[in-house]
Amino acid sequence: MDQKQNVLRLPAERLYREELEALQQADKDSRPSGWMLSPRAVLTFITGGKAGKVDITPKYIGNRRIVEIAIATLLTDRALLLIGEPGTAKSWLSENLTAAIHGDSGKTVQGTAGTSEEQIRYSWNYAMLLAHGPNDDALIKSPIYRAMECGGIARFEEISRCASEVQDALISILSEKTISIPELGKELSAAKGFSIIATANTRDRGVNDMSAALKRRFNILVLPSPSDLETEVEIVRKRVQEIAASYELKASAPEEEAVRKVVAIFRELRNGMTLDSKEKVKPPSGVISTAEAISLLTNSMALAASFGTGQVRDEDIAAGLQGAIVKDEEKDRIVWKQYLDNVMKKRGSEWRSLYNACREMND
């Protein structure tokens, strides 16, 4: 059996291996030290195009200039920080940039409240340390350490969720491009090509604010939410198809009209205003992101495949909407009921079936 069929989620370099190989063969531009592709070929991989006879699917649908700036940053000694609302494809862009440049997106630190300084620098195998004392074999290298060794890119997800002292461990690494190992009396200097791509969520402001000193070591790019309905519909439709294919869901993709309705509901609740700007809408307490819309429709396909006819129905979508929007049982249920009665109910026969299904779930 194909190994791909046994893996729940493939890293970008494996998922798009054929595209990367085609780009390598067609790439005639000069490649920076340690890079697998030229900057122009990386841009094509991210935004879509052709490589010989192979179609390159767009990985990021949005402002092309943002991608160009991100690639240009990684050509310098500056690290890259991607900031945005949840669901603005920060991690997705980070992973695909790393896959295209170095062919390995797995050197990743996941920022949490429990992330320690050792996960940024290095730690020890204490059994070996006690038996033989400090030595190279007992050293456990962090993803950042390994990226420095090979001149690769390390990814730091949700950096603002880490404690301030952990964040500050990056300052010397980004400034001096070295990690000191006093126990071994040596120092690791980063190979050419080394960089870090970090992501931060704007909803996490105030959790652990980054210091000015650390921010100065990054080139900061703000990834906007999809600018209009059509762009968001395209993003959602594309990702739902990709995820459904990966999970081998035995259901038809949601119809275009269903996708548009879900995206319209999410945009209105997110922005606090109907699409025609005629009526204010009270937003729920939780995040109503593009990623949530993708998850909702994917789950609707799973419901249709397992307990329906294989066609996504309004009842399947209504179940997902209830879970996505009503995060706080007391407050959000009222917000959702007001939206149903004040907005969706008034939209006529095209919305009637979805409205009835949502009302039944909310009662």
Side-chain angles (χ1 to χ4, degrees), residues 107-128:
K107 297 182 179 72
T108 306
V109 176
Q110 181 61 55
T112 68
T115 302
S116 65
E117 187 175 340
E118 286 75 18
Q119 291 171 276
I120 309 298
R121 298 162 59 84
Y122 61 88
S123 58
W124 297 97
N125 180 322
Y126 286 102
M128 295 182 68

Side-chain angles (χ1 to χ4, degrees), residues 77-241:
D77 64 350
R78 299 273 287 177
L80 177 64
L81 176 60
L82 304 175
I83 294 179
E85 288 283 317
T88 48
K90 301 180 296 297
S91 296
W92 184 240
L93 180 56
S94 167
E95 179 181 352
N96 281 278
L97 280 170
T98 308
I101 292 171
H102 286 295
D104 179 8
S105 61
K107 297 182 179 72
T108 306
V109 176
Q110 181 61 55
T112 68
T115 302
S116 65
E117 187 175 340
E118 286 75 18
Q119 291 171 276
I120 309 298
R121 298 162 59 84
Y122 61 88
S123 58
W124 297 97
N125 180 322
Y126 286 102
M128 295 182 68
L129 190 66
L130 289 171
H132 306 290
N135 63 81
D136 287 329
D137 292 335
L139 190 71
I140 299 175
K141 303 170 182 177
S142 72
I144 293 173
Y145 189 114
R146 290 186 281 117
M148 292 175 70
E149 275 189 315
C150 68
I153 293 177
R155 298 167 54 216
F156 200 135
E157 295 293 315
E158 305 292 356
I159 190 172
S160 57
R161 287 199 168 272
C162 298
S164 300
E165 59 269 20
V166 176
Q167 295 180 26
D168 287 345
L170 280 176
I171 292 178
S172 63
I173 293 174
L174 295 176
S175 298
E176 307 300 330
K177 302 297 189 292
T178 60
I179 290 180
S180 177
I181 314 166
E183 298 91 339
L184 299 180
K186 71 175 188 178
E187 190 173 76
L188 170 71
S189 296
K192 280 188 176 181
F194 165 71
S195 192
I196 291 175
I197 302 178
T199 65
N201 192 329
T202 52
R203 289 293 183 107
D204 290 337
R205 281 179 181 157
V207 175
N208 288 296
D209 289 332
M210 295 174 63
S211 67
L214 182 55
K215 285 182 178 179
R216 286 197 298 270
R217 271 68 180 182
F218 284 99
N219 193 16
I220 300 173
L221 279 179
V222 179
L223 300 189
S225 297
S227 58
D228 54 60
L229 179 72
E230 299 303 326
T231 300
E232 190 162 3
V233 167
E234 184 180 357
I235 293 169
V236 171
R237 183 175 58 242
K238 177 180 180 296
R239 288 295 293 145
V240 166
Q241 290 173 346

